[in-house]
Each structure stands twice: as C-alpha cells, then as structure tokens.
Amino acid sequence: MKKFVLLVGLFALALSPFNLALAQGDPLQRSTPESQGVSSAQIAKYLEAANEQVDSMHSFMLVRHGKVIAEAWWAPQSAEQPHVLWSLSKSFTSTAVGIAVAEGKLSVDDRVLELFPEDAPQNPSANLQAMRVRDLLTMSTGHQDEVNLREAEHWTKAFMNHPVPHKPGTHFQYNTPATYMLSAIVQKVSGQTVLDYLRPRLFEPLGIAAPRWDESPQGISIGGYGLYLCTEDIAKFGQLYLQQGHWNGQQLVPESWIEQATSKQVSNGSDPDRDWDQGYGFQFWRCRFGAYRGDGKDGQFCVVLPEQDAVIAITANTRDMQAELNVVWEKLKSAFHDSPLPEDPDAQRKLSELIETLKATR
C-alpha cells in the first residue's frame, strides 16, 4: 500500500447564523460523516479500494451538504501544495466565458473569425466562417484533429489556419486548442488574462489565495490546462456549481450558465458503462448516475453529484481514469443517506485505525 496522510473531520459544529455565512477566504466547514448522512465505514472501504486499485492517488476530499467530511493526501502531497489540474482547467475557462457573457462582453453565438480577423487565413473556409464561441465550448469546432500549438509560433493564428473539414456543431472532437481560444477571447474582450479576470470574480470570493496559470508565448492563459490549485480549491469550485453559482450571498456565476455548462450539449458516445460517453456540456463532462464533472489528465477530478448534494475532489497520477471513477461509484455511491446517521464510534474508530495503518505503510 502507498503511504498517505489522511485527515477526517471528527467533530460536529454548532452552527449559528454567523457560522453559516462563512467569511470570504474561510475554508469549508468540517463535520463528521454521520452527521451529514454518510457512513464512515463506507468511506473507509472507498479509501482501502482507492489505495489498492488506483496507481497512484494524490488526494481526496468529500463534501456533503457544504461541509468537508473526509480529506486525504498521499505523501508527499499535502493540503497546502498546489497540484496541476491539467484539463480540469477547462471548466474554469468555461466559467470565465460565462461571467463575461453575463457582463455583456460577448455572446456564445459570436463568430470566432470576427473576433480574430487579423489572424485569419486570406481566404477563410465556409466552416471557419461559421464557427461560433458555442462550438469552442462544446468541442464541436469542426476540426478532424487538434492543431499542435506547442510547435506554433503564434497560437491563435495557428488555430485559425487549421483545416475545418466538418460543419461546426456537428462533430465532437476533444480539442484543447479550442479552450485556448476561449481564453484568448476572454482576454480580448476584457483586456485581462483569464487568470486576472477570474481573480476578483471567482478566486478571491472562494478564498483561493494563490492560483497559478501557465501562459502561451503571446501572454494568454493556456485555458485548456496549466492551472494549479489545492485540493480544497477544487472542492470549493464544485460546491459553487452545486449551489448554482451562489456563494456567501453573492451570485458569482449565473444560474443559467451553470445549467447550460453542465447539461448535455453534444453527444460523445453511447456506452452506458463509460463516463466519457454520457454527453458533453460547456467544458464539463456528464457522468453516469446523474453527476457531472470537470476532469484532467492522470486523474484530476471535480465530481458534482446534485442528487446526493455532494462534491468529490480527487488528484492523482493514473493511466486508468475510468477505473478511478469506478471506485467512486462502487464504494461511495451507496454511502449517502437522506437524513443524518447515528454517530458510529466503532466505525469511526476503525476508520482512525485504517488511517494510522495507511500513514505508516507503503
């Protein structure tokens, strides 16, 4: 087994109206699993299975009814250590677009060519002319394959000059450069990188203190990857979406955007047992069991379960991301109950013993 440090909230909070209104920058509240209707024994089973079956887990956080009820870091990871999100960054870029739309800076029906006429080919194809912001959001730009931006001198120009053989909106093709273009669009209409644009609108209200986002040679946040956050930051982002964009009395993201972004906008497969075949929204994936998620290479997940009023944040380094999600469904889906459970000292003791065993062995 792999060595890790696990912290589980083992205290109940006496909640006053003041406590319920967390101050800006405060961490999420902690609570016992049973008080939020979740079995400590089931959490222990999940941790055992994840530790054995996923190579390798880095962190895990489970939020129920807005409160952290379990959190774990596998050494040498820690709560304070930012983690690369890879393509989970895309969901944050989508959020920036949604806020910019709400502020009247752009529309999802704006044509990409009209936003970057200076970078367009001399004779743009009809498909390029038809490409809209919406098509970037849904990974249906009309490309057959991705342009290799890493080998390009100018990333936006390389995207605009890449062949578009399919009519936009008709062909789903996972496309990280499309997300880069969303970032470039937000920067063009706001005068700020997506990182700086989101600081006062998202990161600061959520208490995300030091986000970092890598940039292109043109000084544009990469958008499709390159964002570094801590595990609790990921959990807060998921909780914001679970709360329909509301946070401490503020509407940070419009409810209408949350609904569109997390709904199935395009089909991407038909396998009922595969979480990558359940449909795609605006830079969010639909999951089985009524859930949705942002995800990134090697197993970075922000899974939102509206039916269970729960959020699961995971960081990892694994080649089999479906197996990583399967452990969640197999071990945690049945752990949620509608009402609080009786405090279970025996299950909590066994969970504590498991924690100590896992902390001391590899």
Side-chain angles (χ1 to χ4, degrees), residues 28-326:
L28 293 168
Q29 294 178 356
R30 267 64 178 172
S31 183
T32 62
E34 277 74 18
S35 68
Q36 303 307 315
V38 182
S39 163
S40 292
Q42 284 297 112
I43 295 175
K45 289 178 181 179
Y46 164 77
L47 290 168
E48 289 177 324
N51 191 59
E52 291 289 347
Q53 299 175 27
V54 180
D55 184 18
S56 56
M57 291 285 289
H58 286 178
S59 70
F60 164 79
M61 183 172 285
L62 175 58
V63 182
R64 182 90 196 282
H65 303 326
K67 300 174 181 64
V68 177
I69 59 173
E71 51 192 307
W73 285 268
W74 279 250
Q77 304 296 320
S78 67
E80 300 78 20
Q81 182 177 343
H83 197 284
V84 61
L85 300 193
W86 293 114
S87 287
L88 176 50
S89 308
K90 291 177 168 68
S91 299
F92 288 82
T93 301
S94 168
T95 303
V97 173
I99 296 172
V101 168
E103 293 179 349
K105 298 182 184 298
L106 74 150
S107 163
V108 296
D109 292 318
D110 287 345
R111 298 189 183 276
V112 178
L113 184 66
E114 294 175 1
L115 290 163
F116 297 99
E118 69 279 9
D119 295 324
Q122 187 172 359
N123 296 301
S125 67
N127 285 340
L128 177 59
Q129 293 180 55
M131 189 190 301
R132 299 171 296 166
V133 172
R134 180 186 301 274
D135 302 318
L136 301 174
L137 287 163
T138 59
M139 299 291 190
S140 54
T141 58
H143 291 137
Q144 180 62 36
D145 49 36
E146 293 186 358
V147 57
N148 188 343
L149 295 183
R150 284 297 186 181
E151 295 183 357
E153 181 177 345
H154 192 288
W155 288 18
T156 305
K157 186 172 292 186
F159 181 92
M160 298 295 288
N161 283 268
H162 195 60
V164 187
H166 305 283
K167 181 180 179 181
T170 65
H171 177 74
F172 177 83
Q173 173 64 49
Y174 194 73
N175 193 335
T176 293
T179 316
Y180 173 75
M181 292 301 294
L182 292 171
S183 177
I185 288 169
V186 170
Q187 184 159 331
K188 186 150 194 175
V189 300
S190 72
Q192 296 177 292
T193 65
V194 163
L195 176 62
D196 289 337
Y197 182 72
L198 286 179
R199 283 187 197 277
R201 295 168 172 85
L202 182 78
F203 294 131
E204 291 174 4
L206 294 183
I208 298 176
R212 176 165 70 88
W213 212 323
D214 294 338
E215 296 183 349
S216 72
Q218 285 70 50
I220 297 170
S221 298
I222 291 176
Y225 59 95
L227 179 60
Y228 292 76
L229 296 177
C230 297
T231 306
E232 187 160 349
D233 300 333
I234 299 170
K236 287 179 177 179
F237 180 68
Q239 186 64 31
L240 172 69
Y241 266 72
L242 184 61
Q243 295 173 179
Q244 297 297 305
H246 297 276
W247 195 266
N248 293 342
Q250 301 180 68
Q251 187 72 46
L252 301 184
V253 185
E255 288 188 22
S256 59
W257 186 262
I258 302 285
E259 176 64 26
Q260 292 180 81
T262 63
S263 297
K264 179 179 177 179
Q265 297 289 340
V266 294
S267 178
N268 57 359
S270 60
D271 187 342
D273 297 322
R274 190 170 185 271
D275 283 290
W276 278 262
D277 280 27
Q278 307 306 309
Y280 195 76
F282 288 170
Q283 310 284 293
F284 283 86
W285 297 86
R286 293 295 306 177
C287 298
R288 293 176 289 166
F289 312 115
Y292 61 85
R293 72 188 187 280
D295 74 28
K297 186 172 80 75
D298 298 336
Q300 323 318 314
F301 285 114
C302 178
V303 184
V304 180
L305 301 94
E307 295 176 10
Q308 290 79 18
D309 193 29
V311 173
I312 298 172
I314 304 174
T315 62
N317 183 16
T318 181
R319 292 182 179 273
D320 193 343
M321 292 170 62
Q322 182 62 73
E324 184 181 348
L325 276 180
N326 288 345

